[in-house]
Amino acid sequence: MNEILSGMRSANVADESRRACNLQEKIACNRVRALQSSVTTLNPPVLPSPANHIWRAHVTHVESAGHFWAISNDTKMLSNLRYIQSCIESAVGRCSAPYMNQKDIRIGQICLALYRDSDGGAFFYRVRVDEIYTNELKVKALIYFVDYGNSEIVKASELRLAPESVLKLPMLAVECMLAEIKAAKSTTGEWDERATQWMKKNAQNSDFLAQIYSVVHGVVRVKLIKLDYVGSINETLIAMGYAIKSEESYLSRQNHELRAIYSREVDDYEGNTSINALCSTLSLSSSGLKSGHGKIQLRGPDSPLLMRFVALTRTGFSKGVRVEPISVNSTALDLEPQSSYDRFLVASFVSLNANGMAVTLRNTTLMPSIPGLMALCLLMFCPTAELRVSRDLTRYIGAVIGLGSDSVSGYPIYPDEDIETEFDIEFHQEDLILINKIRFYMNVILSEGEDLIPTRLADIQKRLRYLVGILLNVERECCKGEAYLNAYRWNQLLPENLLLPDTGCAFTDSEEMVFPLINGVALQSETITNDHRDSLSELKSLEKRLSVKVVAPNSVINKECKMCDVFLKTASDLRCHLSCDTHIQKELRI
């Protein structure tokens, strides 16, 4: 296998630098996107059958730590790869693959391109022209190596005509992604460059057993298991801090369930590699529908991913919310429907309809998908807040936010606009300290006003950016929201349980502050029983025994971490749980 792929798969940092330079040239080019219906295209790659849970694959190209391309290690695919390379070498050697006229090159066309690896070797491979760029007299093309997965920008004059013999076989490179994990400390989903470099070093040009989770839109989501390695690449990235566990998307989970049903119900499967036949058997038959005449009002089309918003205030909660139709957020889609935390939309203008039953939002911004962002923003910028705690006083569960209550009567000052929010993330004392620091510096700016010298203002702004960055970049565990019994009521905390923030001599009276600091609560430690200790000791011993033996990651253990109330089915679940932050924090309390 390695001999077959040696001419292509020895790219290193130098190749990445060359690709970066090519992309800079791409910016200065004018794009031509005229698709030609007459262009001969290849069939897509053969995807793993629904009956296959394990797929032997060879990783040919790594785009990022969680995104790569691979080809199957089975005999048929290797035979096809040998045949393709033999035909190309023969055509080039006999001069039957001439250089193409750059004016005749079309988007989607299959041709041959030269690839030079870091060892000095140069070989021709099948490529697909994805884009064409023109810059004065120069014509360049973005090409995709259909049998390996990488892309490059080359001179159009360097492309050769592909022989007919290699146009009959499908593409070989299959696009893959790591399942049930995502990039850590990233709001955009981009992987850390160090993680990508580690993945290239340890996965590229290597053979793996790929445990298939799902196949959606031609992308195979897998857990990569190296043949001479205990554990998986997915678990290793989590252990190194480059990744965190994440639920799969709705379509991925649906495909995973269908594949499980398929493997249970179908013994023999022949035909293409999709599971459309199975999907159709699960669909409602039209034979049971009654015929008739009449008129009905049709609505839609609607997407299950379409976001629907509700107002946060007490009176607004019962009203309908509508984003103006000309706004891009009127059809905002939740790209992570599996995530349990709330999303946050802000509007600079809100209007009420004639009957007072709905509001229209204008000039809206959908805030980034950061766990707990809504609760953190409310606490940072609200007039005042009172934190909610669980009944056993062990954790924060939410807050009531608004103008506060009257100091004499105790009634809310403006109850209609109060907000009762439940925390969908773990909120700790350290988070409250950071929020109070941010509110303190905002008070300093507002109190000094025009007397604040520019250098001091710039220094405070720098500190604010730093503190907000720390607050938002903390990795937070999502949790199920807990409703507070006396919602929208103020002064629910006993004075002896309060932790009053100290501002020193900066502000002598809280009324001097536009953003009063938020009182904390003296939380109680969670009760750790001897049963919890025994359970932890048993799991630690089991992990030690498994690390000595060579045990498959999916080996069934059926254990429970009583301290965290989590059931652990496999050895892989055990390793991941013992290394997660939530378990470690509870373990440190013992």
Side-chain angles (χ1 to χ4, degrees):
M1 180 68 185
N2 291 332
E3 293 177 357
I4 298 172
L5 302 169
S6 61
M8 182 68 176
R9 301 294 94 199
S10 56
N12 57 10
V13 178
D15 297 312
E16 298 296 330
S17 301
R18 186 175 66 225
R19 186 177 293 111
C21 294
N22 286 335
L23 291 177
Q24 290 178 358
E25 295 177 5
K26 170 182 172 180
I27 297 173
C29 295
N30 299 318
R31 293 187 179 181
V32 179
R33 294 181 177 273
L35 291 174
Q36 303 294 323
S37 58
S38 60
V39 171
T40 302
T41 59
L42 298 177
N43 289 328
V46 179
L47 300 175
S49 163
N52 292 346
H53 297 291
I54 299 296
W55 179 47
R56 290 184 175 272
H58 182 91
V59 176
T60 56
H61 173 67
V62 174
E63 187 69 23
S64 67
H67 188 195
F68 58 94
W69 274 259
I71 66 173
S72 175
N73 258 351
D74 66 47
T75 306
K76 183 179 180 180
M77 290 298 107
L78 296 182
S79 176
N80 288 344
L81 185 59
R82 293 190 189 96
Y83 175 76
I84 291 169
Q85 291 183 335
S86 174
C87 290
I88 292 174
E89 291 174 5
S90 176
V92 173
R94 291 185 287 103
C95 298
S96 58
Y99 286 102
M100 301 178 64
N101 187 332
Q102 60 186 23
K103 295 181 180 180
D104 298 333
I105 297 174
R106 299 291 182 265
I107 292 177
Q109 188 169 6
I110 303 300
C111 44
L112 304 181
L114 189 67
Y115 182 89
R116 298 177 178 86
D117 59 34
S118 57
D119 297 330
F123 303 89
F124 280 94
Y125 299 94
R126 295 193 302 174
V127 299
R128 182 185 66 208
V129 178
D130 283 348
E131 292 182 359
I132 299 174
Y133 311 106
T134 59
N135 184 8
E136 297 178 354
L137 299 178
K138 296 180 180 179
V139 179
K140 293 193 174 184
L142 174 65
I143 57 173
Y144 167 70
F145 289 84
V146 297
D147 299 322
Y148 297 93
N150 57 313
S151 298
E152 279 193 359
I153 295 178
V154 300
K155 294 179 181 179
S157 58
E158 296 178 354
L159 299 177
R160 286 177 178 258
L161 193 67
E164 287 292 332
S165 55
V166 301
L167 299 178
K168 299 176 182 178
L169 295 175
M171 306 177 190
L172 300 184
V174 177
E175 187 176 2
C176 305
M177 300 188 78
L178 295 181
E180 297 185 291
I181 65 170
K182 66 178 181 180
K185 301 179 181 179
S186 173
T187 59
T188 61
E190 295 182 1
W191 287 86
D192 189 291
E193 182 61 27
R194 293 172 297 175
T196 300
Q197 292 300 326
W198 182 90
M199 185 71 173
K200 289 181 177 180
K201 180 180 178 182
N202 292 274
Q204 193 159 287
N205 305 324
S206 298
D207 295 329
F208 289 92
L209 287 177
Q211 186 176 337
I212 300 172
Y213 182 89
S214 65
V215 180
V216 178
H217 300 316
V219 180
V220 184
R221 304 190 71 90
V222 300
K223 178 183 287 187
L224 274 186
I225 303 171
K226 207 164 186 177
L227 301 180
D228 56 349
Y229 183 78
V230 178
S232 68
I233 294 293
N234 308 49
E235 295 166 357
T236 304
L237 288 172
I238 293 175
M240 295 174 68
Y242 293 138
I244 56 176
K245 294 201 72 173
S246 173
E247 289 189 25
E248 286 292 303
S249 66
Y250 170 77
L251 291 178
S252 179
R253 286 186 283 115
Q254 185 184 53
N255 182 271
H256 179 72
E257 293 169 1
L258 288 174
R259 294 178 73 88
I261 295 172
Y262 187 97
S263 63
R264 290 197 302 267
E265 302 295 336
V266 182
D267 294 326
D268 298 321
Y269 179 77
E270 308 215 352
N272 60 41
T273 57
S274 69
I275 54 175
N276 292 333
L278 175 61
C279 295
S280 64
T281 62
L282 301 177
S283 302
L284 178 65
S285 173
S286 59
S287 60
L289 299 178
K290 296 181 179 180
S291 61
H293 300 280
K295 292 184 178 180
I296 60 172
Q297 184 178 359
L298 299 179
R299 298 182 61 183
D302 288 330
S303 168
L305 303 180
L306 186 66
M307 289 188 183
R308 290 173 174 81
F309 301 99
V310 294
L312 293 177
T313 59
R314 189 172 188 176
T315 55
F317 194 79
S318 60
K319 293 180 171 61
V321 175
R322 174 176 174 269
V323 180
E324 62 176 341
I326 63 173
S327 171
V328 67
N329 290 324
S330 63
T331 55
L333 299 179
D334 186 2
L335 301 181
E336 296 183 4
Q338 72 278 7
S339 300
S340 58
Y341 52 85
D342 294 326
R343 294 296 301 273
F344 192 25
L345 181 81
V346 295
S348 64
F349 184 82
V350 180
S351 61
L352 196 63
N353 69 348
N355 60 12
M357 295 304 295
V359 294
T360 300
L361 310 182
R362 294 182 174 85
N363 301 334
T364 58
T365 299
L366 184 63
M367 303 301 284
S369 178
I370 300 176
L373 179 63
M374 185 180 74
L376 297 175
C377 285
L378 290 174
L379 291 175
M380 278 191 286
F381 304 112
C382 67
T384 187
E386 181 180 307
L387 293 171
R388 305 302 201 190
V389 293
S390 58
R391 293 184 180 181
D392 56 0
L393 292 179
T394 59
R395 57 194 176 87
Y396 292 113
I397 62 172
V400 58
I401 290 164
L403 294 179
S405 61
D406 184 78
S407 58
V408 178
S409 64
Y411 290 111
I413 295 175
Y414 197 2
D416 289 349
E417 297 302 317
D418 283 349
I419 297 173
E420 182 77 33
T421 181
E422 299 175 6
F423 292 161
D424 53 6
I425 44 108
E426 295 286 346
F427 187 84
H428 304 291
Q429 300 286 23
E430 294 78 11
D431 301 318
L432 179 59
I433 293 172
L434 281 173
I435 289 173
N436 276 335
K437 285 183 178 180
I438 292 169
R439 293 173 70 90
F440 174 82
Y441 281 120
M442 290 193 296
N443 286 321
V444 171
I445 294 176
L446 294 174
S447 64
E448 297 190 18
E450 296 180 356
D451 297 332
L452 193 63
I453 60 176
T455 54
R456 177 166 166 76
L457 175 61
D459 181 60
I460 294 177
Q461 289 174 334
K462 184 178 179 181
R463 293 183 187 181
L464 281 171
R465 283 193 294 269
Y466 174 73
L467 292 172
V468 172
I470 293 178
L471 183 66
L472 298 185
N473 287 326
V474 173
E475 289 186 19
R476 303 181 187 279
E477 292 288 336
C478 294
C479 64
K480 186 177 180 181
E482 181 178 339
Y484 190 69
L485 183 62
N486 299 322
Y488 296 103
R489 293 186 182 180
W490 294 83
N491 305 315
Q492 297 297 299
L493 298 171
L494 297 175
E496 57 267 25
N497 292 331
L498 294 178
L499 297 176
L500 304 180
D502 183 14
T503 60
C505 58
F507 296 95
T508 57
D509 191 351
S510 62
E511 294 183 358
E512 298 178 7
M513 295 185 284
V514 178
F515 297 99
L517 304 189
I518 302 172
N519 294 333
V521 181
L523 300 178
Q524 305 296 321
S525 300
E526 292 187 25
T527 304
I528 305 296
T529 65
N530 290 331
D531 196 20
H532 293 161
R533 292 186 175 90
D534 295 340
S535 172
L536 178 62
S537 178
E538 181 184 356
L539 292 178
K540 288 283 189 181
S541 300
L542 178 59
E543 182 195 27
K544 188 175 182 180
R545 293 198 303 272
L546 293 177
S547 63
V548 175
K549 301 179 181 179
V550 179
V551 179
N554 56 351
S555 299
V556 178
I557 59 171
N558 290 334
K559 295 293 181 179
E560 180 185 8
C561 179
K562 296 182 180 180
M563 185 173 62
C564 302
D565 193 23
V566 173
F567 181 74
L568 308 171
K569 183 178 180 180
T570 65
S572 174
D573 295 337
L574 174 64
R575 294 191 184 101
C576 288
H577 178 70
L578 293 182
S579 61
C580 74
D581 293 338
T582 304
H583 176 86
I584 292 173
Q585 289 175 2
K586 291 185 178 182
E587 185 180 339
L588 292 175
R589 296 174 188 167
I590 300 180

